[in-house]
Amino acid sequence: MLRIMRKIEHIGIAVKDLEVSNLVFEKLFGASAYKHEEVESEGVSTSFFKSGPNKIELLAATNPESPIAKFLEKKGEGIHHIAFDVEDITAEIARLKEEGFIVLNDVPKKGADNKLVAFLHPKSTNGVLIELCQEIK
Ligand code: ZN
């Protein structure tokens, strides 16, 4: 049987200033970000940090229309989403829609860190934005 939502892949944190927050998380983890990546289609600039087997993604907006800019405006800095690793994102999207969840993008899109991603609307998940991600092989 297909294993679903295998583990938390990373936690996304919305930040106002990526440079400033990179320094904070460098101090916190005693190590620099292992990756910086811009996802222009999403209007985000990201940094990835590792804490043992766990990953933290910092997200800053690259333009005022970015979903991150809107999030910061509404809620301020803080946890933005929880991402789960899935084996087959297309199957997961279909399953979750069937279960009544609101999927923000029916077709998986290319996200940061070599992943195909899809998001579930927080309205359908008790206020938490959930990201599904499947590694691109
Ligand atoms: Zn993410």
Side-chain angles (χ1 to χ4, degrees), residues 9-12 46 48 57 59 80-83 112 117 119 131 133:
E9 214 287 327
H10 63 269
I11 294 174
T46 66
F48 284 88
E57 174 186 32
L59 305 118
H80 176 259
H81 64 268
I82 300 178
V117 302
F119 289 91
E131 176 183 355
C133 52

mmCIF file of all heavy atoms in Angstrom, residues 9-12 46 48 57 59 80-83 112 117 119 131 133, ligand 1:
data_model
loop_
_atom_site.group_PDB
_atom_site.id
_atom_site.type_symbol
_atom_site.label_atom_id
_atom_site.label_comp_id
_atom_site.label_asym_id
_atom_site.label_seq_id
_atom_site.Cartn_x
_atom_site.Cartn_y
_atom_site.Cartn_z
ATOM 1 N N GLU A 9 8.651 17.058 6.295
ATOM 2 C CA GLU A 9 9.819 17.302 5.451
ATOM 3 C C GLU A 9 10.550 18.552 5.928
ATOM 4 O O GLU A 9 11.764 18.577 6.020
ATOM 5 C CB GLU A 9 9.355 17.434 3.991
ATOM 6 C CG GLU A 9 10.338 16.883 2.971
ATOM 7 C CD GLU A 9 11.560 17.761 2.809
ATOM 8 O OE1 GLU A 9 11.440 18.988 2.936
ATOM 9 O OE2 GLU A 9 12.656 17.218 2.572
ATOM 10 N N HIS A 10 9.779 19.597 6.211
ATOM 11 C CA HIS A 10 10.364 20.814 6.786
ATOM 12 C C HIS A 10 9.257 21.690 7.373
ATOM 13 O O HIS A 10 8.080 21.437 7.152
ATOM 14 C CB HIS A 10 11.167 21.610 5.747
ATOM 15 C CG HIS A 10 10.349 22.116 4.596
ATOM 16 N ND1 HIS A 10 10.179 21.398 3.429
ATOM 17 C CD2 HIS A 10 9.636 23.257 4.425
ATOM 18 C CE1 HIS A 10 9.412 22.084 2.602
ATOM 19 N NE2 HIS A 10 9.058 23.211 3.180
ATOM 20 N N ILE A 11 9.685 22.674 8.124
ATOM 21 C CA ILE A 11 8.758 23.680 8.628
ATOM 22 C C ILE A 11 9.160 25.014 8.017
ATOM 23 O O ILE A 11 10.347 25.350 7.980
ATOM 24 C CB ILE A 11 8.786 23.730 10.169
ATOM 25 C CG1 ILE A 11 8.237 22.398 10.716
ATOM 26 C CG2 ILE A 11 7.972 24.902 10.707
ATOM 27 C CD1 ILE A 11 8.332 22.252 12.206
ATOM 28 N N GLY A 12 8.184 25.725 7.484
ATOM 29 C CA GLY A 12 8.445 27.004 6.824
ATOM 30 C C GLY A 12 8.140 28.167 7.753
ATOM 31 O O GLY A 12 7.089 28.189 8.403
ATOM 32 N N THR A 46 14.347 31.913 -0.325
ATOM 33 C CA THR A 46 14.371 30.959 0.790
ATOM 34 C C THR A 46 15.794 30.618 1.242
ATOM 35 O O THR A 46 16.740 30.715 0.462
ATOM 36 C CB THR A 46 13.702 29.619 0.380
ATOM 37 O OG1 THR A 46 14.498 29.004 -0.633
ATOM 38 C CG2 THR A 46 12.292 29.806 -0.130
ATOM 39 N N PHE A 48 17.564 27.351 3.629
ATOM 40 C CA PHE A 48 17.292 26.095 4.323
ATOM 41 C C PHE A 48 18.381 25.801 5.352
ATOM 42 O O PHE A 48 19.571 25.879 5.054
ATOM 43 C CB PHE A 48 17.235 24.936 3.323
ATOM 44 C CG PHE A 48 15.959 24.907 2.530
ATOM 45 C CD1 PHE A 48 15.845 25.629 1.345
ATOM 46 C CD2 PHE A 48 14.874 24.173 2.958
ATOM 47 C CE1 PHE A 48 14.669 25.606 0.608
ATOM 48 C CE2 PHE A 48 13.690 24.144 2.234
ATOM 49 C CZ PHE A 48 13.592 24.859 1.049
ATOM 50 N N GLU A 57 12.828 25.981 6.727
ATOM 51 C CA GLU A 57 12.879 26.839 5.543
ATOM 52 C C GLU A 57 12.476 28.251 5.950
ATOM 53 O O GLU A 57 11.393 28.449 6.492
ATOM 54 C CB GLU A 57 11.885 26.300 4.495
ATOM 55 C CG GLU A 57 11.709 27.164 3.272
ATOM 56 C CD GLU A 57 10.594 26.649 2.333
ATOM 57 O OE1 GLU A 57 9.613 26.063 2.814
ATOM 58 O OE2 GLU A 57 10.732 26.843 1.107
ATOM 59 N N LEU A 59 11.400 31.892 4.678
ATOM 60 C CA LEU A 59 10.835 32.455 3.453
ATOM 61 C C LEU A 59 10.654 33.961 3.585
ATOM 62 O O LEU A 59 10.030 34.418 4.546
ATOM 63 C CB LEU A 59 9.453 31.850 3.176
ATOM 64 C CG LEU A 59 9.341 30.343 3.088
ATOM 65 C CD1 LEU A 59 8.414 29.837 4.170
ATOM 66 C CD2 LEU A 59 8.819 29.934 1.732
ATOM 67 N N HIS A 80 4.822 29.547 9.010
ATOM 68 C CA HIS A 80 3.986 29.789 7.832
ATOM 69 C C HIS A 80 3.334 28.505 7.336
ATOM 70 O O HIS A 80 2.180 28.483 6.980
ATOM 71 C CB HIS A 80 4.846 30.414 6.734
ATOM 72 C CG HIS A 80 4.141 30.622 5.434
ATOM 73 N ND1 HIS A 80 4.304 29.773 4.363
ATOM 74 C CD2 HIS A 80 3.254 31.567 5.046
ATOM 75 C CE1 HIS A 80 3.538 30.213 3.364
ATOM 76 N NE2 HIS A 80 2.904 31.290 3.739
ATOM 77 N N HIS A 81 4.097 27.421 7.310
ATOM 78 C CA HIS A 81 3.526 26.147 6.871
ATOM 79 C C HIS A 81 4.304 24.964 7.425
ATOM 80 O O HIS A 81 5.439 25.104 7.867
ATOM 81 C CB HIS A 81 3.464 26.057 5.337
ATOM 82 C CG HIS A 81 4.799 26.057 4.655
ATOM 83 N ND1 HIS A 81 5.416 27.193 4.201
ATOM 84 C CD2 HIS A 81 5.626 25.031 4.331
ATOM 85 C CE1 HIS A 81 6.565 26.876 3.628
ATOM 86 N NE2 HIS A 81 6.729 25.569 3.696
ATOM 87 N N ILE A 82 3.655 23.800 7.385
ATOM 88 C CA ILE A 82 4.316 22.541 7.707
ATOM 89 C C ILE A 82 4.274 21.704 6.440
ATOM 90 O O ILE A 82 3.212 21.562 5.827
ATOM 91 C CB ILE A 82 3.615 21.813 8.873
ATOM 92 C CG1 ILE A 82 3.639 22.705 10.117
ATOM 93 C CG2 ILE A 82 4.313 20.475 9.166
ATOM 94 C CD1 ILE A 82 2.942 22.107 11.322
ATOM 95 N N ALA A 83 5.424 21.201 6.045
ATOM 96 C CA ALA A 83 5.506 20.420 4.810
ATOM 97 C C ALA A 83 5.681 18.941 5.134
ATOM 98 O O ALA A 83 6.480 18.576 6.000
ATOM 99 C CB ALA A 83 6.684 20.895 3.963
ATOM 100 N N ALA A 112 10.829 24.959 -3.993
ATOM 101 C CA ALA A 112 12.252 25.057 -3.671
ATOM 102 C C ALA A 112 12.803 23.674 -3.315
ATOM 103 O O ALA A 112 12.041 22.727 -3.081
ATOM 104 C CB ALA A 112 12.444 26.019 -2.499
ATOM 105 N N VAL A 117 5.458 20.431 -5.347
ATOM 106 C CA VAL A 117 4.688 20.808 -4.165
ATOM 107 C C VAL A 117 3.229 21.116 -4.487
ATOM 108 O O VAL A 117 2.881 21.459 -5.617
ATOM 109 C CB VAL A 117 5.320 22.025 -3.435
ATOM 110 C CG1 VAL A 117 6.756 21.740 -3.030
ATOM 111 C CG2 VAL A 117 5.240 23.294 -4.271
ATOM 112 N N PHE A 119 -0.313 22.768 -2.033
ATOM 113 C CA PHE A 119 -0.697 23.304 -0.727
ATOM 114 C C PHE A 119 -2.165 23.036 -0.426
ATOM 115 O O PHE A 119 -2.999 23.055 -1.331
ATOM 116 C CB PHE A 119 -0.438 24.813 -0.683
ATOM 117 C CG PHE A 119 1.029 25.165 -0.643
ATOM 118 C CD1 PHE A 119 1.732 25.390 -1.818
ATOM 119 C CD2 PHE A 119 1.705 25.251 0.570
ATOM 120 C CE1 PHE A 119 3.080 25.707 -1.788
ATOM 121 C CE2 PHE A 119 3.060 25.564 0.613
ATOM 122 C CZ PHE A 119 3.746 25.798 -0.577
ATOM 123 N N GLU A 131 1.850 21.878 3.281
ATOM 124 C CA GLU A 131 2.502 21.675 1.985
ATOM 125 C C GLU A 131 2.768 20.189 1.820
ATOM 126 O O GLU A 131 3.239 19.526 2.739
ATOM 127 C CB GLU A 131 3.829 22.455 1.958
ATOM 128 C CG GLU A 131 4.652 22.249 0.695
ATOM 129 C CD GLU A 131 5.998 22.979 0.728
ATOM 130 O OE1 GLU A 131 6.274 23.729 1.681
ATOM 131 O OE2 GLU A 131 6.781 22.760 -0.199
ATOM 132 N N CYS A 133 5.055 17.621 -0.312
ATOM 133 C CA CYS A 133 6.162 17.688 -1.249
ATOM 134 C C CYS A 133 6.730 16.318 -1.576
ATOM 135 O O CYS A 133 6.830 15.433 -0.731
ATOM 136 C CB CYS A 133 7.234 18.674 -0.826
ATOM 137 S SG CYS A 133 7.873 18.527 0.795
HETATM 138 ZN ZN ZN B 1 8.016 24.731 2.271
#
